[in-house]
């Protein structure tokens, strides 16, 4: 799933001031402006088809996406680019203000009492911080939702709900059309949505995979080095702080 969000203010003349030429210019500008996000999304789709993210946006692909997104948005600084995959990976890039965010692949809602699964999830459980940078466990709160796979290994699949995946390819008249139709089908993990009970005694505590927002340097790569944060995008470099705006960021998560 790819998403481009615009943040553009358009000022139009009042009715008494409106004329055809002004309207035509506004229409042309809007056409150009709305075409840009579509072109960026098309480029990303083609880029992925060439196996540009061989690790499916796992950490080895993270900086590659950030550099690409930052380059695309340098020419379109009022756009925000977000990109997600079926495995739960999610990455985003902004230019004004400048930022990068990322969520590793995987499913939240893992049980803290599942010792076997916690071997791979412990780093996620220990990677959250509060607004001032103090460590807090990444544990779902009562009332929060999570998804749970139908089978333990999350291997059961179903056709995704998008239009292309739900088409009845077998009804098409030619083999060529059927083959092309089937090549567009996407498969999603079979899961159910559940809610953490209000009383933890009704079930085990569950952890989640956090969504992290990074300070970035002038190339779009995450940094916490003093004097290298390019958050403003234009107004020079600064330092990277936690949400309190005072505590410097000084942490490492693989």
């Amino acid at each position: 799933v790819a998403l481009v969000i615009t943040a553009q203010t358009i000022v139009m003349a009042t009715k008494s001031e409106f004329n055809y030429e002004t309207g035509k210019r506004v229409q042309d500008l809007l056409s150009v402006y709305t075409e840009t996000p579509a072109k960026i999304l098309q480029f990303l789709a083609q880029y992925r088809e060439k196996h540009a993210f061989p690790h499916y946006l796992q950490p080895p692909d993270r900086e590659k996406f950030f550099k690409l997104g930052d380059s695309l948005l340098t020419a379109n600084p009022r756009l925000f680019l977000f990109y997600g995959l079926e495995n739960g990976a999610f990455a985003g890039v902004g230019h004004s203000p400048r930022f990068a965010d990322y969520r590793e692949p995987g499913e939240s809602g893992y049980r803290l009492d599942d010792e076997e699964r916690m071997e791979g999830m412990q780093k996620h459980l220990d990677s959250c911080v509060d607004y001032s940078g103090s460590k807090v466990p990444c544990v779902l709160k009562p009332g929060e939702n999570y998804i749970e796979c139908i089978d333990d290994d999350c291997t059961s699949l179903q056709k995704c709900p998008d239009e292309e995946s739900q088409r009845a390819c077998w009804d098409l008249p030619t083999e060529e059309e059927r083959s092309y139709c089937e090549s567009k089908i996407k498969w999603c993990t079979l899961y159910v949505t559940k809610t953490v009970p209000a009383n933890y005694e009704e079930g085990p505590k569950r952890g989640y995979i956090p969504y992290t927002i990074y300070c970035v340097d002038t190339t779009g790569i995450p940094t916490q080095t003093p004097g290298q944060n390019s958050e403003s995008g234009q107004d020079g470099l600064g330092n990277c702080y936690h949400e309190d705006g005072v505590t410097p960021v000084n942490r490492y998560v693989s």
Side-chain angles (χ1 to χ4, degrees), residues 37-239:
K39 288 180 179 179
I40 290 177
L41 295 180
Q42 184 180 30
F43 173 82
L44 278 174
Q46 294 173 344
Y47 192 71
R48 183 190 174 192
E49 286 180 0
K50 297 182 183 299
H51 306 289
F53 304 126
H55 304 285
Y56 299 98
L57 275 189
Q58 293 185 57
D61 291 336
R62 181 172 48 197
E63 291 191 0
K64 185 182 298 184
F65 176 84
F66 288 157
K67 285 184 177 180
L68 173 64
D70 189 75
S71 298
L72 289 170
L73 297 191
T74 296
N76 304 279
R78 291 191 175 276
L79 300 180
F80 300 93
L81 176 62
F82 300 97
Y83 196 75
L85 298 182
E86 298 85 355
N87 61 6
F90 184 86
V93 178
H95 203 279
S96 296
R98 205 166 194 168
F99 69 87
D101 47 29
Y102 179 70
R103 180 194 185 276
E104 285 196 30
E107 305 296 345
S108 293
Y110 53 87
R111 293 172 50 147
L112 303 193
D113 61 354
D114 186 340
E115 295 183 4
E116 183 177 350
R117 193 175 183 203
M118 283 304 297
E119 291 181 5
M121 291 296 181
Q122 191 66 48
K123 74 167 186 175
H124 297 306
L125 180 66
D126 296 336
S127 61
C128 289
V129 296
D130 64 15
Y131 73 101
S132 63
S134 299
K135 286 189 174 182
V136 294
C138 298
V139 175
L140 290 170
K141 298 176 182 178
E144 292 185 326
N145 294 331
Y146 63 95
I147 63 173
E148 187 172 277
C149 295
I150 298 300
D151 61 90
D152 292 337
D153 297 325
C154 296
T155 55
S156 296
L157 302 176
Q158 62 183 349
K159 289 183 179 181
C160 295
D162 62 280
E163 184 176 348
E164 285 185 326
S165 299
Q166 291 295 320
R167 288 189 66 190
C169 299
W170 59 85
D171 283 343
L172 296 174
T174 68
E175 179 63 31
E176 182 179 359
E177 289 177 295
R178 289 192 292 272
S179 296
Y180 178 78
C181 176
E182 291 171 357
S183 71
K184 296 296 182 180
I185 294 175
K186 295 179 283 295
W187 296 88
C188 293
T189 304
L190 191 61
Y191 65 88
V192 292
T193 301
K194 293 190 174 182
T195 302
V196 178
N199 186 344
Y200 267 135
E201 295 180 359
E202 297 178 16
K205 290 187 177 181
R206 295 180 177 270
Y208 65 89
I209 299 175
Y211 171 79
T212 305
I213 301 176
Y214 300 94
C215 298
V216 297
D217 61 19
T218 54
T219 67
I221 298 303
T223 182
Q224 60 184 18
T225 303
Q228 290 191 8
N229 178 23
S230 182
E231 180 181 357
S232 64
Q234 299 176 357
D235 302 327
L237 302 177
N239 299 329

